[in-house]
Amino acid sequence: MLKGCAIINENDVAFMPVELPFASAGFPKPSDDYLQKELDLNGLVFQNKVCIQPFMVEGDSMLPLLNDGDIITVDRSLTPKHGDLVVADLDDGRVVKRYALEGGRVILRSDNSSYKPIAVNEFEHFAIVGVVTYSLRSFLKTS
Amino acid sequence: MSSKSNAAQKIFCLIDCDAFYVSCERLCAPELRTRNTLVLSNNDGCVISRCDGVKAAQIKMGDPLHLIQDKIKKHNIKVFSSNYALYGLVSDRVMTLLGSFTPHIEVYSIDESFLSLEGSPTTDIIDYVQNIRQTVRQWIGIPVCGGIGPSKVLAKLANRLAKKTKHDLKNGGVVSLLDPIEREKVLAEFPVADVWGIGGKSAKKLHSYGIYTAKELRDADEALVQRLLTIVGRRIQLELRGESHLMLEEIPKDREQIICAKSFGKPLRELPDLEEALTHYVATASGKLRDQKSVSHAVSVFVETNRFNDSAQYFNSAYIEFPVPTSDIRTLTAGALRALESIYKKGFDYKKVGI
């Protein structure tokens, strides 16, 4: 069993057997040393912050990490570090890419090797929207 | 630049969002950053928000859609129908963020707030407000301008001036009128009709007495101002002089029932139309609330069809309590819209909605 995996009980609530920062009401199970807490997905991802914005991924430029249709959340208050996933505005488009600082220049790289890296100084308008914090993917196939 | 001690005088800052509804739509559609965009009201299709390009095309606030079709084609204008759910959410974020800079904040409307900055930990107020402006822009994606003054009227005036430099993303969009010498130049050129609280009729009266600028109003005979504009005008005059007479309206006491409801000429069927009407009533009701210095602990929303005709009938109401009594327009609006959503049913001709 993996550490921190979710256990679904018959009441259909997910319990995480690890300490999480946002826990609501918790109660101890007799056989465990620690509290079991209810997973608050909203709290975990949005943290009641005004600067968290969700987006939906389009295209395959960030395969295998991000699929078309994945939901990502971005923290707009963070300054990107080399290697971070970022959402950026380039002229009139918005992309999700990996942020790279190379020789003092900002390069946006696609994880999918079929895509060429982007040198931001080739664009008139470049702005970092924020750093990607979480992604969400549905595994159910919709017809 | 500013060398005054912050403790000595009041410092008001009016933060307001640039073309708020348009800016909200652009949050979700970045490709519109450089395209002319406007927003229409849902019900009667009138212009309620315009970007600069649309203003330059001589399209005015309130212009109905059918009269501007040719301009829309000519200037390739993107047209949106209002989406109050989005605007409310974004407004909430902006105001919450502003509230983190100072607890003394009056949310004046969906896109404007007065902040009180006296006693703030800085000697450079312009820098501080510029920081607020950059933070709102980066953290939420909404462009705002800041006007600073020793009174609300002057802060509003400063904000008007700040709009002129909003294109300078780094250093523009913030103007301070804390310095009385700065004020002299500015007030002499500022039209009296643009002063906050001076409407068209009042401006005409003042013009007929040779008062055309904010400076002339400021320096006008006090008895004359009292006679023409009553105590309200006198307060404005004092505020123009740098004296603060309009307080920041944070939250006070008392309760009562305020009802605001109207029947529609033509019945409405769609939720967005009802939402729009309701938002308008909430704005009116919350204005009444603030006028009597009250807060509300709950909001009740009702809808009804026309009981006098033969169509299908539906009446319902919903009641939502607030954890903290409020006169905050965005809290009231959010609660009212939630209540409406819980009782709205498709397929009915609604004759009346109210709060």
Side-chain angles (χ1 to χ4, degrees):
Chain A
M1 183 174 280
L2 299 165
K3 179 178 179 175
C5 71
I7 302 161
I8 311 293
N9 70 8
E10 61 270 21
N11 294 322
D12 211 22
V13 177
F15 284 90
M16 302 278 283
V18 282
E19 212 40 50
L20 285 166
F22 49 76
S24 46
F27 57 90
K29 234 176 83 173
S31 57
D32 288 306
D33 291 338
Y34 37 73
L35 289 176
Q36 290 198 318
K37 316 230 167 145
E38 221 173 276
L39 175 62
D40 174 9
L41 203 57
N42 215 39
L44 176 68
V45 172
F46 287 92
Q47 300 166 43
N48 218 31
K49 286 193 192 168
V50 297
C51 51
I52 310 288
Q53 189 172 349
F55 296 95
M56 184 171 282
V57 176
E58 264 186 353
D60 60 358
S61 72
M62 290 302 286
L63 280 179
L65 186 68
L66 296 175
N67 283 1
D68 185 272
D70 284 357
I71 293 172
I72 53 171
T73 48
V74 167
D75 189 330
R76 299 183 64 127
S77 71
L78 297 178
T79 309
K81 299 184 307 293
H82 178 90
D84 280 344
L85 285 176
V86 296
V87 169
D89 282 345
L90 292 167
D91 287 352
D92 292 328
R94 184 165 278 172
V95 297
V96 54
K97 295 277 174 255
R98 203 167 285 283
Y99 183 84
L101 278 170
E102 291 167 16
R105 291 187 309 152
V106 174
I107 309 285
L108 298 178
R109 291 186 174 280
S110 300
D111 278 13
N112 182 341
S113 48
S114 332
Y115 287 78
K116 287 202 303 252
I118 299 170
V120 304
N121 52 21
E122 284 166 22
F123 289 83
E124 211 180 288
H125 177 75
F126 160 67
I128 292 285
V129 174
V131 177
V132 178
T133 53
Y134 287 93
S135 72
L136 187 66
R137 176 178 302 166
S138 166
F139 293 101
L140 295 179
K141 307 251 178 279
T142 45
S143 46
Chain B
M1 195 210 121
S2 155
S3 55
K4 277 198 155 68
S5 145
N6 291 348
Q9 62 180 171
K10 287 200 188 270
I11 302 177
F12 290 95
C13 175
L14 177 70
I15 299 279
D16 95 325
C17 307
D18 304 341
F20 184 57
Y21 299 158
V22 163
S23 297
C24 288
E25 298 292 351
R26 282 176 168 166
L27 267 185
C28 310
E31 68 277 8
L32 296 179
R33 190 181 55 87
T34 48
R35 185 171 164 199
N36 289 324
T37 309
L38 67 80
V39 178
L40 298 171
S41 59
N42 276 335
N43 202 10
D44 47 6
C46 294
V47 174
I48 54 174
S49 185
R50 311 162 290 167
C51 69
D52 284 342
V54 170
K55 288 182 194 171
Q58 307 301 319
I59 293 176
K60 309 242 176 323
M61 285 295 247
D63 276 353
L65 176 62
H66 63 267
L67 288 183
I68 55 172
Q69 295 284 22
D70 49 339
K71 285 186 182 157
I72 287 172
K73 280 198 192 77
K74 179 173 176 202
H75 300 278
N76 187 28
I77 300 174
K78 175 75 183 172
V79 175
F80 286 96
S81 230
S82 55
N83 180 355
Y84 285 100
L86 171 66
Y87 309 152
L89 280 174
V90 177
S91 173
D92 220 50
R93 288 185 167 207
V94 172
M95 302 314 175
T96 302
L97 182 54
L98 293 178
S100 70
F101 286 94
T102 168
H104 303 297
I105 170 173
E106 174 193 333
V107 177
Y108 182 68
S109 71
I110 199 170
D111 67 345
E112 294 168 276
S113 269
F114 283 101
L115 277 54
S116 173
L117 296 179
E118 69 219 46
S120 60
T122 175
T123 45
D124 195 332
I125 285 284
I126 290 184
D127 244 23
Y128 190 67
V129 174
Q130 188 62 252
N131 179 38
I132 294 177
R133 178 170 180 253
Q134 302 299 340
T135 308
V136 174
R137 191 192 193 91
Q138 179 55 41
W139 287 31
I140 302 173
I142 295 291
V144 305
C145 286
I148 306 158
S151 68
K152 278 178 156 184
V153 168
L154 284 172
K156 253 261 179 181
L157 205 150
N159 183 282
R160 267 311 265 263
L161 299 171
K163 294 281 176 209
K164 296 187 179 162
T165 55
K166 67 183 180 200
H167 299 292
D168 182 352
L169 297 182
K170 276 221 172 87
N171 298 306
V174 178
V175 166
S176 169
L177 292 178
L178 291 174
D179 183 343
I181 298 169
E182 273 293 308
R183 290 205 294 268
E184 280 307 303
K185 290 184 282 171
V186 156
L187 293 181
E189 286 163 20
F190 198 86
V192 77
D194 290 344
V195 172
W196 187 41
I198 304 291
K201 284 208 202 102
S202 301
K204 278 209 181 81
K205 279 193 219 170
L206 292 171
H207 290 342
S208 71
Y209 282 84
I211 300 169
Y212 291 93
T213 66
K215 177 172 164 154
E216 283 163 353
L217 174 57
R218 181 196 71 182
D219 299 339
D221 177 62
E222 291 162 16
L224 176 66
V225 173
Q226 172 74 42
R227 195 159 43 87
L228 293 178
L229 304 177
T230 76
I231 182 85
V232 174
R234 275 282 293 146
R235 261 189 223 120
I236 294 172
Q237 183 182 39
L238 291 170
E239 291 237 326
L240 285 171
R241 292 179 183 177
E243 295 173 32
S244 168
H245 287 262
L246 297 170
M247 295 303 118
L248 207 67
E249 284 168 37
E250 299 174 78
I251 303 191
K253 316 116 200 131
D254 273 50
R255 272 160 30 187
E256 231 188 72
Q257 197 182 91
I258 293 178
I259 298 181
C260 189
K262 289 202 183 84
S263 291
F264 313 123
K266 274 184 351 215
L268 299 179
R269 289 179 73 85
E270 301 305 321
L271 182 59
D273 293 340
L274 290 170
E275 277 179 340
E276 184 178 338
L278 189 62
T279 304
H280 184 68
Y281 303 153
V282 172
T284 308
S286 82
K288 287 187 198 169
L289 205 54
R290 281 199 299 280
D291 284 348
Q292 60 184 39
K293 305 207 181 302
S294 299
V295 285
S296 168
H297 78 292
V299 64
S300 174
V301 172
F302 67 88
V303 292
E304 61 186 55
T305 51
N306 188 342
R307 57 189 107 169
F308 299 111
N309 71 20
D310 292 334
S311 60
Q313 297 294 313
Y314 176 65
F315 334 93
N316 206 346
S317 69
Y319 180 79
I320 287 191
E321 275 193 304
F322 303 115
V324 176
T326 178
S327 63
D328 186 333
I329 190 176
R330 44 187 179 126
T331 315
L332 292 171
T333 307
L337 291 180
R338 256 201 323 277
L340 176 63
E341 208 182 356
S342 70
I343 54 179
Y344 173 78
K345 273 189 161 53
K346 236 176 141 61
F348 291 93
D349 290 327
Y350 291 97
K351 183 68 179 165
K352 194 169 179 179
V353 72
I355 173 173

